[in-house]
Amino acid sequence: MSRITHCFTELKRHGKKALIPYLTAGDPNVATTLGLMHALVANGADLIELGFPFSDPSADGPVVQRAIERSLAKKTTLRSVLEIVRLFRTTDQNTPVVLMGYLNPVECMGYQTFTDAAVAAGVDGVLLVDMPPEEGHDLQPIMRKAGLETIYLVAPTSNPKRIAAICKQSSGYVYYVSLKGVTGASHLDVDSVATNLARLREYTALPLGVGFGIRDAESAAQIAKIADAVVVGSALINRIAELKDQDTYTAAELERQTSLIADMRKAMDR
Amino acid sequence: MSEHLIHHKTYDFPDQSGHFGPFGGIFVGETLMPALEELNRQYERLKHDPAFWAEFDYDLAHYVGRPSPLYFAERLTKLCGGARIFLKREDLNHTGAHKVNNTIGQALLARAMGKTRIIAETGAGQHGVATATVAARLGLECHVFMGVDDIQRQSANVFRMKMLGANVVGVSSGSRTLKDAMNEALRDWATNVDNTYYIIGTVAGPHPYPMLVRDFQSVIGREVKEQSMKQIGRLPDSLVACVGGGSNAIGLFYPFIDDKQVRMIGVEAGGLGLETGKHAAPLSAGQPGVLHGNRTYLMNDADGQILETHSVSAGLDYPGVGPEHSWLKDLHRAEYTAVTDDEALAAFRTLTRSEGIIPALESSHAVAHALKLAPTLPAEHVMVVNLSGRGDKDLHTVAAIDNIKL
Ligand SMILES: Cc1ncc(COP(=O)(O)O)c(C=O)c1O
């Protein structure tokens, strides 16, 4: 059983929902990202979505854009992000890590080279924002053969035909984008998310994660009632943005800075 | 079958899924996928509707002022002492460039789809002006995204857009030029996808944009074919056009693809020289990758990060290029080369003084290459240079280079 499937199975057994923080690797620097990943787990994260930077994040709002700019200013590359995962795995073999980003850095490295390097580093799944299933026909088989889960987005605009096709190509979990817009938008409508998730359930037995617009313990708890996983990005990155570019933060300091995740955990488990 | 849809015997691209060989395709977030499918469906329907093309033709004739002349540049030809140089006068179009051919077509699409809000990205401001113009004419709300650096160097066009009632949104992320304006337009579209039509200004972006923008711009090449038959009794021997995203070039080239004897030459922005890295010439010095919804030649570093580009001409200052040009390059059906800022500026002056035509700095790149190539060719050779736009918008840039304050 893959690490992601095992994670969701265990949570289900305990009647809990997954809490998935997203952070941009290399913001404020590579060493702090590693520390943050451990801090997030300590605060109750079940799975980590680790963003690798791309110069032209056209599906992201200003908060993630700026995190990516900070990361690129530190010359973070896809290879250095894989190195973070490798280091993370030396002390944490349980928490699944999903790489999230745009296709071009992966194309540039080469599909097979990337897949081999990701597996070797201990990556569990990959979500490429600008690679819909239609364009995944070359990369998808390579990743699946190597044991990487392929996670795709479903949006409020997706029609039944698309939803069916996406679910067929997905593994690990399906990521439902809660609203029309970019990351960091704030017009989350829980009722419409519930309606759309119910529709989505008819197409797949995979766990359903919901992201975009979840910003505090309250919205996390609301989404946890209707989904299998809650993804939080921009709200967390706003906290991380307050950190300085130094590599001497203690575990306790990083846990305190990301206490939002502990608050969400508590609210979701209530 | 409408004459607007050209059917080649040996070339039929894009395929059903929007690919030109390995290039093109649809690489966007899921939120936009259904909107692109819907756009494709609507265009596939309308392009077989004679009434759609009749309205397009009417607007081009009576509003844009087409056909644009194919003008024999006699003094420029004498000056070069070789091939006979003809200029396709897209600079004479309403709003001053070829861009309006496309915005007329897409505005008709937007109206047919019931969209009330128009967005666009712009670099030089020509596409922004052409979009604001058609939006004003149809009474549609219009927002134009433009890099703050471009807002600086193309201030006259910014003022024109505002006069036309458009909201010009400054984009200060990334390199603050055309590529960042396009990112921001895509973000806006994902947010307002229900009521918004995105008029992309060149043959880039996700399918079906490269196809439909090409079809609208093909009026350039169709006219050149007719005009050259009428004026010189045969087809030209070579076609020369500047390539930013590649819409004026594909518009000229596309109707000639089956005419294998016609050489097609795209001229990219060589900036300070290809060897300096400060240029905007992905076909000449880049490699395939994925940006802004399609796979194409790009300028990126070893990690796949898009590089900042440089060109004296804002309209060519883009790290990618339309996917069909990538395919024509790999098929060896078209050739691509680059000229430097200095060569383009020299050509700007040469054309102005020899023919009394002030070209856009973008078009000056095509002229610059013609000035190099024509002297090497015999007098029977007929060369058509696409004069994609007029230079009024660039007078500030040229004056600044000459240390003149306007
Ligand atoms: C006059 C003119 N020519 C050429 C271009 C470049 O675009 P394309 O390569 O799509 O023709 C522009 C873009 O702004 C332009 O304004």
Side-chain angles (χ1 to χ4, degrees), chain B residues 97-99 124 126 201-202 242-249 315-316 360 362-363 388-389 393:
Chain B
H98 69 293
K99 296 287 180 187
Q126 286 304 106
T202 188
C242 68
V243 176
S247 66
N248 86 87
L316 302 183
E362 291 80 12
S363 324
S388 57
K393 69 182 176 61

Tab-separated table of all heavy atoms in Angstrom, chain B residues 97-99 124 126 201-202 242-249 315-316 360 362-363 388-389 393, ligand 1:
chain	number	residue	atom	x	y	z
B	97	ALA	N	-1.947	48.720	-36.756
B	97	ALA	CA	-1.186	47.473	-36.810
B	97	ALA	C	-2.094	46.329	-37.243
B	97	ALA	O	-3.315	46.493	-37.358
B	97	ALA	CB	-0.552	47.159	-35.462
B	98	HIS	N	-1.479	45.171	-37.452
B	98	HIS	CA	-2.241	43.981	-37.843
B	98	HIS	C	-3.121	43.472	-36.714
B	98	HIS	O	-4.033	42.681	-36.951
B	98	HIS	CB	-1.275	42.869	-38.257
B	98	HIS	CG	-0.488	42.316	-37.105
B	98	HIS	ND1	0.457	43.054	-36.429
B	98	HIS	CD2	-0.546	41.112	-36.485
B	98	HIS	CE1	0.958	42.318	-35.460
B	98	HIS	NE2	0.379	41.137	-35.459
B	99	LYS	N	-2.846	43.881	-35.492
B	99	LYS	CA	-3.520	43.307	-34.319
B	99	LYS	C	-5.039	43.361	-34.423
B	99	LYS	O	-5.737	42.485	-33.922
B	99	LYS	CB	-3.075	44.050	-33.047
B	99	LYS	CG	-1.587	43.890	-32.717
B	99	LYS	CD	-1.269	42.520	-32.189
B	99	LYS	CE	0.211	42.363	-31.849
B	99	LYS	NZ	0.554	40.967	-31.492
B	124	ALA	N	3.365	45.975	-26.403
B	124	ALA	CA	3.565	47.294	-26.987
B	124	ALA	C	2.345	48.186	-26.780
B	124	ALA	O	2.415	49.392	-26.927
B	124	ALA	CB	3.849	47.156	-28.480
B	126	GLN	N	-0.292	47.764	-28.687
B	126	GLN	CA	-1.061	47.726	-29.935
B	126	GLN	C	-2.254	46.781	-29.814
B	126	GLN	O	-3.345	47.103	-30.258
B	126	GLN	CB	-0.170	47.271	-31.103
B	126	GLN	CG	0.812	48.317	-31.564
B	126	GLN	CD	0.127	49.608	-31.950
B	126	GLN	OE1	0.200	50.586	-31.213
B	126	GLN	NE2	-0.533	49.626	-33.091
B	201	GLY	N	-3.702	38.120	-27.822
B	201	GLY	CA	-3.268	39.000	-28.908
B	201	GLY	C	-2.330	38.385	-29.913
B	201	GLY	O	-1.899	39.054	-30.850
B	202	THR	N	-1.995	37.120	-29.741
B	202	THR	CA	-1.074	36.523	-30.703
B	202	THR	C	-1.383	35.040	-30.818
B	202	THR	O	-2.314	34.537	-30.173
B	202	THR	CB	0.392	36.786	-30.283
B	202	THR	OG1	1.243	36.352	-31.346
B	202	THR	CG2	0.756	36.063	-28.990
B	242	CYS	N	8.363	39.926	-38.837
B	242	CYS	CA	8.905	39.851	-37.485
B	242	CYS	C	8.081	38.848	-36.673
B	242	CYS	O	6.914	38.589	-36.984
B	242	CYS	CB	8.903	41.228	-36.816
B	242	CYS	SG	7.261	41.889	-36.450
B	243	VAL	N	8.715	38.276	-35.642
B	243	VAL	CA	8.046	37.281	-34.811
B	243	VAL	C	8.189	37.656	-33.333
B	243	VAL	O	9.290	37.659	-32.786
B	243	VAL	CB	8.645	35.873	-35.026
B	243	VAL	CG1	7.986	34.863	-34.081
B	243	VAL	CG2	8.478	35.431	-36.472
B	244	GLY	N	7.056	38.024	-32.739
B	244	GLY	CA	7.013	38.180	-31.280
B	244	GLY	C	6.352	36.912	-30.769
B	244	GLY	O	6.997	35.902	-30.500
B	245	GLY	N	5.022	36.959	-30.674
B	245	GLY	CA	4.265	35.723	-30.488
B	245	GLY	C	4.086	35.017	-31.822
B	245	GLY	O	3.923	33.816	-31.893
B	246	GLY	N	4.112	35.822	-32.877
B	246	GLY	CA	4.103	35.246	-34.222
B	246	GLY	C	2.833	35.419	-35.022
B	246	GLY	O	2.650	34.740	-36.031
B	247	SER	N	1.946	36.361	-34.627
B	247	SER	CA	0.651	36.419	-35.322
B	247	SER	C	0.731	37.099	-36.681
B	247	SER	O	0.080	36.663	-37.633
B	247	SER	CB	-0.413	37.081	-34.447
B	247	SER	OG	-0.138	38.439	-34.215
B	248	ASN	N	1.532	38.170	-36.809
B	248	ASN	CA	1.593	38.793	-38.135
B	248	ASN	C	2.356	37.884	-39.092
B	248	ASN	O	2.029	37.795	-40.278
B	248	ASN	CB	2.169	40.214	-38.059
B	248	ASN	CG	3.681	40.295	-38.121
B	248	ASN	OD1	4.268	40.358	-39.194
B	248	ASN	ND2	4.341	40.261	-36.956
B	249	ALA	N	3.346	37.156	-38.567
B	249	ALA	CA	4.118	36.246	-39.417
B	249	ALA	C	3.246	35.081	-39.883
B	249	ALA	O	3.210	34.761	-41.069
B	249	ALA	CB	5.344	35.737	-38.662
B	315	GLY	N	6.743	44.915	-28.249
B	315	GLY	CA	5.874	43.898	-28.840
B	315	GLY	C	6.582	42.592	-29.149
B	315	GLY	O	5.942	41.585	-29.424
B	316	LEU	N	7.904	42.605	-29.137
B	316	LEU	CA	8.656	41.370	-29.395
B	316	LEU	C	9.284	40.825	-28.114
B	316	LEU	O	9.930	39.778	-28.129
B	316	LEU	CB	9.764	41.623	-30.431
B	316	LEU	CG	9.328	42.162	-31.794
B	316	LEU	CD1	10.535	42.277	-32.729
B	316	LEU	CD2	8.257	41.294	-32.429
B	360	ALA	N	6.733	50.533	-37.177
B	360	ALA	CA	6.849	50.156	-35.773
B	360	ALA	C	8.216	49.515	-35.547
B	360	ALA	O	8.801	48.956	-36.473
B	360	ALA	CB	5.750	49.160	-35.407
B	362	GLU	N	8.776	46.875	-33.986
B	362	GLU	CA	8.623	45.435	-34.235
B	362	GLU	C	8.850	45.161	-35.720
B	362	GLU	O	9.708	44.363	-36.101
B	362	GLU	CB	7.210	44.971	-33.829
B	362	GLU	CG	6.933	44.984	-32.323
B	362	GLU	CD	6.604	46.370	-31.790
B	362	GLU	OE1	6.368	47.285	-32.614
B	362	GLU	OE2	6.588	46.548	-30.554
B	363	SER	N	8.091	45.868	-36.559
B	363	SER	CA	8.187	45.675	-38.010
B	363	SER	C	9.585	46.009	-38.523
B	363	SER	O	10.040	45.440	-39.521
B	363	SER	CB	7.160	46.565	-38.725
B	363	SER	OG	5.967	46.659	-37.984
B	388	SER	N	4.065	45.240	-40.169
B	388	SER	CA	2.968	44.884	-39.264
B	388	SER	C	2.335	46.078	-38.557
B	388	SER	O	1.187	46.007	-38.129
B	388	SER	CB	3.457	43.870	-38.235
B	388	SER	OG	4.564	44.385	-37.521
B	389	GLY	N	3.089	47.188	-38.443
B	389	GLY	CA	2.496	48.330	-37.762
B	389	GLY	C	3.266	49.614	-37.995
B	389	GLY	O	4.378	49.595	-38.512
B	393	LYS	N	3.777	55.036	-32.149
B	393	LYS	CA	3.863	54.650	-30.743
B	393	LYS	C	5.307	54.579	-30.260
B	393	LYS	O	5.560	54.570	-29.055
B	393	LYS	CB	3.197	53.289	-30.528
B	393	LYS	CG	3.984	52.155	-31.179
B	393	LYS	CD	3.342	50.797	-31.047
B	393	LYS	CE	4.120	49.723	-31.785
B	393	LYS	NZ	5.486	49.502	-31.332
C	1	LIG	C1	3.316	46.354	-34.859
C	1	LIG	C2	3.555	45.036	-34.228
C	1	LIG	N1	4.166	44.066	-34.910
C	1	LIG	C3	4.421	42.863	-34.379
C	1	LIG	C4	4.082	42.576	-33.070
C	1	LIG	C5	4.444	41.236	-32.526
C	1	LIG	O1	3.383	40.352	-32.409
C	1	LIG	P1	3.202	39.138	-33.392
C	1	LIG	O2	4.493	38.409	-33.452
C	1	LIG	O3	2.115	38.347	-32.778
C	1	LIG	O4	2.812	39.666	-34.727
C	1	LIG	C6	3.434	43.544	-32.306
C	1	LIG	C7	3.043	43.262	-30.908
C	1	LIG	O5	2.684	44.082	-30.134
C	1	LIG	C8	3.166	44.808	-32.896
C	1	LIG	O6	2.555	45.764	-32.205
